[in-house]
Amino acid sequence: MAKAWFRLGAGAGAAAVVLMLALPAQAQGTADLIDRIQRLEAQIRSLNGQLEQSQFRVRQMEDQQRRMQADIEFRLNELENARGGARPAQQPRPPQQQQQQQPQRRGDVFDPSEQQAA
């Protein structure tokens, strides 16, 4: 019985040795994964910062555009008021009769109306 326990103990010891040898590799793999996660998190923080800066610039440009548009409309209204109001509406001109003109034909295109025998 002591021999069986010894065999089991020796087998368990071998398993323990294998586990102990495998743990550093697993620990190294875990450390690599943690390092990679930390780098990815830093990259995400950096990209979020860039995104927020871009959004801020877009908001600034939108505000600037609104101010410029309001300024242009104000100036146009001032010019119209200075002239005594808006331009009087012009009477629409009668549509000119378009001359019926044959479209120019290309010389290299086959026209069956010109060659009745074809």
Side-chain angles (χ1 to χ4, degrees):
M1 190 155 189
K3 289 183 182 182
W5 180 81
F6 182 73
R7 284 187 209 156
L8 181 63
V17 170
V18 170
L19 284 175
M20 293 178 101
L21 292 174
L23 283 178
Q26 185 179 9
Q28 181 64 33
T30 302
D32 289 342
L33 289 176
I34 290 172
D35 183 48
R36 184 172 180 200
I37 289 171
Q38 289 174 344
R39 281 185 280 127
L40 289 172
E41 287 175 343
Q43 186 177 12
I44 288 171
R45 281 192 297 275
S46 173
L47 291 172
N48 281 337
Q50 290 175 12
L51 177 63
E52 289 176 6
Q53 287 177 350
S54 296
Q55 289 173 338
F56 177 73
R57 288 183 190 136
V58 167
R59 281 193 299 272
Q60 282 183 321
M61 293 173 75
E62 287 173 344
D63 291 341
Q64 182 182 8
Q65 181 199 12
R66 279 189 214 103
R67 287 192 307 269
M68 286 175 46
Q69 185 175 2
D71 183 54
I72 289 170
E73 289 175 7
F74 174 78
R75 289 172 187 242
L76 287 174
N77 287 334
E78 288 294 313
L79 287 173
E80 288 176 357
N81 291 337
R83 284 193 310 199
R87 283 188 173 175
Q90 294 181 349
Q91 296 294 330
R93 296 181 181 174
Q96 297 177 352
Q97 293 182 359
Q98 295 177 354
Q99 297 176 353
Q100 297 293 331
Q101 207 175 28
Q102 293 290 333
Q104 291 194 358
R105 297 176 189 220
R106 291 178 31 192
D108 63 338
V109 177
F110 173 73
D111 186 4
S113 64
E114 290 180 3
Q115 299 178 0
Q116 297 293 332

